[in-house]
Amino acid sequence: MNFAFPALLALLLLLPGIILRYTYARGAWGWASPTSLRRISDELAYGIIFSLALHTVWLELMTALGFVPDMRTPLALLAGNFGPGNALLAPSLQTISDHYPGVAGYFLSLYAASAVLGNVAHRGVRKLRLDHRTKTFRFDNYWYYMLTGEVLRFRENAAGEEPDGVYLSAVVSHSGVSYLYRGIVTDFTFDTDGALDTVVLSDAHRRNLSDDRPVSEEPAPSYEEDPRYYIVRGDFLILRYAEMQTLNLDYFWLGEAGDDPASVPGDD
Amino acid sequence: MKGRISNRLELILKDEGARSQLRKRLILGQDGEIRVNGRVFQLRLENARAVRKGAHPRMIA
């Protein structure tokens, strides 16, 4: 028996938990939902715990359906110990070859069920807004919550209303000169590690950061009369997160006549 | 909010005049009315800040 086989078997056994964690963290909506990817070491720990639970449930289910799982064979293969004189090796291999479709069916059905369960759990948490109510269910994606304004709905933030838009101001340096870029956040992307990569702004404008207005000076009556600002032409401006030095977010709400004046809600 | 921006904000951004009104108020940090296609929206601003790399947040109009 190749020494790598127990490692391969361990991976096959851990995969349901890893799939469950991955699909739960990624969600089914892709960009429209907070994705969170932890380090492999963290995922492995969760994977072991969830795999144990999933295998227990699946084995019980198989037993209830009339299939009697042979636990000795996988344990012997996993340990790489087949008793004195490898007496259990031949029966173990025979069991697998005799029940190959059943073994494959067990793993494939468990993998599929884990993926479905992860997606359903993600949807459930988002639908019921459990991630807003408690940190236990909160996805490990700080920027998603900040840039969509969902952070305002967190219980610790008095569960306020989600804003209609987010106005971003960021300091970005070009050739040693710092500029203040401002615009409305319309989208953002994450890199393969799940970290914020770019922020997409619409109606972007900028000015030189050194053109700060003194505190004592009255602001210009309108921005058209404020020569410091320069409208960035184009539909969208994409700012790389790595190039931003300071970030400021303004949340804003748009109420319409007929809305409750005490609370200017969003559209959701 | 659906997606990244709300339907109301999308409506305003599609209209050049309304977008200009919104930009003016956002730069100045002022609440006020935005008019678009006969509809009047009341803009309300609140501040929340995320600061990176230890630099100071400067909210300047």
Side-chain angles (χ1 to χ4, degrees):
Chain A
M1 182 69 58
N2 191 313
F3 74 93
F5 187 78
L8 180 65
L9 184 61
L11 179 66
L12 290 174
L13 291 169
L14 287 177
L15 216 46
I18 295 170
I19 290 172
L20 176 70
R21 280 287 308 166
Y22 182 81
T23 51
Y24 174 74
R26 290 290 296 184
W29 292 290
W31 66 269
S33 201
T35 57
S36 57
L37 294 176
R38 291 188 170 90
R39 288 174 300 179
I40 290 290
S41 55
D42 292 345
E43 292 297 332
L44 201 59
Y46 281 111
I48 292 169
I49 295 165
F50 284 116
S51 291
L52 282 172
L54 288 166
H55 279 296
T56 303
V57 171
W58 220 238
L59 285 170
E60 287 295 322
L61 187 65
M62 292 296 117
T63 306
L65 291 173
F67 300 100
V68 182
D70 171 20
M71 293 304 294
R72 280 195 314 170
T73 300
L75 288 175
L77 290 169
L78 198 59
N81 184 349
F82 300 97
N86 283 340
L88 281 174
L89 180 58
S92 296
L93 295 177
Q94 189 64 44
T95 303
I96 293 173
S97 56
D98 287 350
H99 300 91
Y100 178 74
V103 173
Y106 172 86
F107 280 107
L108 289 177
S109 61
L110 183 52
Y111 296 159
S114 302
V116 170
L117 186 61
N119 267 319
V120 168
H122 184 104
R123 283 172 183 258
V125 167
R126 294 289 293 161
K127 187 78 177 171
L128 299 171
R129 296 183 185 272
L130 295 177
D131 54 338
H132 295 171
R133 294 177 191 167
T134 169
K135 290 178 181 174
T136 307
F137 290 103
R138 199 157 297 161
F139 296 97
D140 188 22
N141 192 328
Y142 172 77
W143 283 113
Y144 176 88
Y145 292 116
M146 288 297 289
L147 292 173
T148 56
E150 285 190 26
V151 66
L152 301 178
R153 297 192 64 104
F154 289 174
R155 175 175 281 183
E156 59 267 32
N157 292 336
E161 286 291 337
E162 215 170 294
D164 285 276
V166 182
Y167 185 55
L168 179 142
S169 304
V171 175
V172 178
S173 293
H174 304 300
S175 307
V177 180
S178 294
Y179 292 93
L180 183 69
Y181 280 87
R182 311 182 85 180
I184 294 164
V185 177
T186 52
D187 203 357
F188 44 88
T189 62
F190 299 100
D191 62 18
T192 51
D193 295 327
L196 185 64
D197 187 25
T198 62
V199 179
V200 182
L201 301 180
S202 69
D203 199 36
H205 38 280
R206 79 171 195 192
R207 68 168 172 80
N208 197 314
L209 189 64
S210 63
D211 290 340
D212 274 359
R213 169 178 55 79
V215 177
S216 58
E217 185 182 303
E218 285 294 312
S222 72
Y223 84 92
E224 290 96 338
E225 297 169 26
D226 191 336
R228 299 174 303 163
Y229 280 98
Y230 166 86
I231 304 297
V232 180
R233 293 192 62 181
D235 292 326
F236 299 106
L237 176 72
I238 300 169
L239 289 180
R240 286 179 57 81
Y241 174 67
E243 293 171 358
M244 297 183 206
Q245 293 170 319
T246 306
L247 204 58
N248 182 88
L249 300 176
D250 273 332
Y251 298 112
F252 60 90
W253 290 259
L254 294 160
E256 195 170 5
D259 287 340
D260 178 5
S263 168
V264 183
D267 283 359
D268 59 345
Chain B
M1 191 155 89
K2 297 181 180 72
R4 304 295 194 233
I5 58 175
S6 70
N7 294 339
R8 289 172 181 178
L9 179 55
E10 193 176 0
L11 183 72
I12 288 171
L13 290 176
K14 282 179 180 171
D15 184 280
E16 180 59 40
R19 197 166 63 201
S20 178
Q21 295 171 52
L22 177 65
R23 189 190 310 136
K24 168 190 166 183
R25 298 212 172 275
L26 289 173
I27 285 176
L28 297 175
Q30 292 176 342
D31 293 354
E33 290 183 349
I34 311 289
R35 294 174 184 274
V36 52
N37 298 337
R39 296 170 73 179
V40 181
F41 295 104
Q42 185 68 35
L43 173 72
R44 182 166 63 87
L45 277 157
E46 283 185 17
N47 288 344
R49 290 168 186 192
V51 183
R52 242 191 111 205
K53 295 178 181 173
H56 64 97
R58 305 172 79 161
M59 191 56 239
I60 314 112

